[in-house]
Amino acid sequence: QMLKQGSGAIVNMASANGVVAFPTFPLYTASKSAVIGLTKAAALQYAKAGIRINVVAPAVIETDMFEAATGGQDEVKAYMAGLHPIGRIGTPLEVANAILFLSSDMASFITGETLMVDGGYVAQ
């Protein structure tokens, strides 16, 4: 449909761990890095067709995966929050807002990019 109409926006999901690695998660890091690379290649392939393709890469977000990883332990949650320069864990709404932005006409000149939603995690 996007090819037929000559426009569209695709937003893939990766992770901050697709940009920086944790030594205990090599397969996770590899898979998220692959999403970022695929996004760049697809963005180049479809740019002239009017289709923008980007990726959102969150760091730690308050999700079921986060709860499982922390075991619900407050000290583990505090440690993980401290990994982010902003000093807290991100929310699903913050990730959704990034996706909405990249899907909107406000991002009409953005393609092949990785938008970090990471509270400064990768910047350090």
Side-chain angles (χ1 to χ4, degrees):
Q1 181 60 40
M2 290 181 191
L3 288 172
K4 281 180 16 182
Q5 68 192 26
S7 66
I10 297 170
V11 180
N12 293 323
M13 292 301 301
S15 167
N17 287 115
V19 178
V20 296
F22 256 81
T24 54
F25 299 119
L27 297 177
Y28 186 79
T29 298
S31 68
K32 298 308 178 179
S33 295
V35 170
I36 292 169
L38 176 63
T39 298
K40 290 179 182 184
L44 294 175
Q45 183 176 1
Y46 291 102
K48 289 197 182 341
I51 301 169
R52 297 179 300 100
I53 306 173
N54 294 290
V55 63
V56 170
V60 181
I61 304 296
E62 293 174 1
T63 62
D64 291 342
M65 184 175 162
F66 170 68
E67 286 299 320
T70 64
Q73 299 177 34
D74 289 338
E75 61 275 3
V76 178
K77 290 179 180 183
Y79 168 77
M80 292 181 85
L83 295 174
H84 303 80
I86 206 165
R88 64 177 178 82
I89 302 301
T91 68
L93 180 60
E94 290 168 318
V95 176
N97 285 335
I99 294 166
L100 287 172
F101 166 70
L102 288 173
S103 299
S104 76
D105 288 340
M106 290 186 291
S108 61
F109 199 60
I110 301 172
T111 194
E113 291 300 321
T114 301
L115 179 56
M116 305 305 301
V117 182
D118 69 350
Y121 179 78
V122 171
Q124 61 187 341

